[in-house]
Amino acid sequence: MPDEKVVPEEPERWSTWTGRARGWMLKRLPPDRLLPEDQPSYVASWIYVFGMGAIASLVFVIGSGIVLALNGPAWYHVSALGHFVNSAHLWSVELLFLTMVVHLWGKYWMAAWRGGRALTWMTGAISFFASIGAAFTGYLVQTNFDSQWIAFEAKDALNAVGIGAWFSVTDLGQLLTWHIVLMPLAVGAIVALHVLLVRVHGVVPPIDAAESDAQLGGSAAVTVAEEPPTAPRPVTESAAAAEPALVAHQEVAR
Amino acid sequence: MIPPLLAAAADPVGSGIFLGWAPITISIGNFIVIVAMVVLFVAALFVPFLHDRDE
């Protein structure tokens, strides 16, 4: 049976920019690492769940937001279904921030920027701040007295720093464009990059993991062992027997 | 006197309940969310994770 594993060719062999781009991507993120079937044993902990919880919440935010946007910003005032979808949008945002903050706390206390993961950490922080910006513009498109009050309080601050002419919080049309087009594109792009970087470097191991741990994939393994990066592999009984650190991690995970 | 309908429109979600300790003031809703996040964080560290039956 032929080996189906994709082996990236040498960059010198590519003659076009598309080929070079493909080689660059295959080298850093081969398909088995982009869509892995297994994760290291230390990922079997609830603290590793909240990143995916945030992404699931974001899917609900975008889905309910699309329905609201297609029906117009005033729809939920006059429709029971609109009111329900608007509430689903609000509560999925609440869940997004709740899970994102617990994810942030977990990654902060395990120093998740270790092992060449600085860019992963930075994109996570940027996506957090971009999400706050998206939520703020959401407050401004409620088409009620609450949004009017917020807009007329905010405009003075924005005018004071000289950007009120370009970012007018009292202009519903402009704010709607920011909220349903620009900010979702920004958040989506940054979150996608964040997830791809997690795939490239692997999930950050526990802070007390031994440097010789065979499960340390990605750039951390390269730094420690001077070997090519390998995708995190599942723990087997034989591997656990050969590597006591794996047993320790399994015990921690349990 | 403000008509009830106008008053309701001007304050669609109610004034809310606020908790205060000296200089700190926080709405009950925000307080509940923060407490929920702390509880989830601590629980995530100590609650055993689910495992497959064959594991």
Side-chain angles (χ1 to χ4, degrees):
Chain A
M1 184 177 173
D3 186 3
E4 295 180 357
K5 188 176 180 181
V6 176
V7 179
E9 297 183 34
E10 290 300 317
E12 291 77 18
R13 297 187 59 181
W14 304 108
S15 58
T16 61
W17 73 266
T18 48
R20 283 193 294 274
R22 179 152 52 100
W24 185 84
M25 285 187 281
L26 283 173
K27 184 179 178 185
R28 281 156 185 80
L29 198 56
D32 58 340
R33 193 186 294 176
L34 175 64
L35 298 169
E37 290 188 275
D38 300 294
Q39 288 290 338
S41 62
Y42 52 75
V43 178
S45 163
W46 286 110
I47 199 63
Y48 282 96
V49 167
F50 289 91
M52 185 50 71
I55 291 175
S57 305
L58 183 62
V59 169
F60 273 86
V61 170
I62 293 172
S64 56
I66 288 173
V67 177
L68 285 174
L70 287 174
N71 287 282
W75 175 53
Y76 81 101
H77 295 303
V78 295
S79 162
L81 177 62
H83 197 176
F84 172 79
V85 177
N86 188 69
S87 298
H89 193 61
L90 167 70
W91 285 106
S92 50
V93 170
E94 296 278 356
L95 265 179
L96 169 64
F97 277 95
L98 187 146
T99 49
M100 196 159 42
V101 167
V102 178
H103 178 62
L104 167 66
W105 289 346
K107 295 305 163 187
Y108 175 80
W109 288 108
M110 65 176 75
W113 48 83
R114 289 173 292 133
R117 295 176 176 84
L119 197 58
T120 314
W121 172 263
M122 285 188 273
T123 51
I126 293 170
S127 66
F128 182 55
F129 290 118
S131 300
I132 292 174
F136 277 177
T137 56
Y139 280 126
L140 291 162
V141 296
Q142 297 176 96
T143 58
N144 60 12
F145 286 125
D146 188 32
S147 59
Q148 188 186 51
W149 172 265
I150 296 167
F152 276 74
E153 292 295 307
K155 72 175 175 53
D156 294 334
L158 295 167
N159 286 334
V161 295
I163 61 171
W166 295 277
F167 185 72
S168 175
V169 286
T170 59
D171 184 339
L172 177 63
Q174 188 189 96
L175 257 296
L176 201 59
T177 305
W178 274 99
H179 185 65
I180 70 174
V181 180
L182 300 177
M183 295 310 297
L185 282 176
V187 172
I190 298 165
V191 168
L193 179 59
H194 183 71
V195 172
L196 287 176
L197 285 166
V198 172
R199 294 298 196 214
V200 168
H201 297 290
V203 178
V204 68
I207 206 160
D208 56 347
E211 291 186 346
S212 59
D213 195 322
Q215 291 191 95
L216 294 181
S219 57
V222 178
T223 306
V224 172
E226 295 297 330
E227 291 174 358
T230 54
R233 60 180 174 78
V235 178
T236 60
E237 291 299 324
S238 57
E243 182 57 77
L246 300 183
V247 178
H249 286 150
Q250 285 182 319
E251 293 304 319
V252 168
R254 283 170 183 159
Chain B
M1 184 180 172
I2 303 172
L5 188 62
L6 184 60
D11 189 14
V13 291
S15 299
I17 301 169
F18 284 80
L19 307 173
W21 297 274
I24 300 171
T25 303
I26 186 171
S27 72
I28 189 83
N30 284 340
F31 182 73
I32 289 171
V33 169
I34 291 171
V35 169
M37 288 191 299
V38 172
V39 168
L40 273 175
F41 178 70
V42 174
L45 298 178
F46 295 106
V47 174
F49 196 68
L50 304 173
H51 288 276
D52 293 337
R53 288 176 188 169
D54 58 346
E55 219 176 319

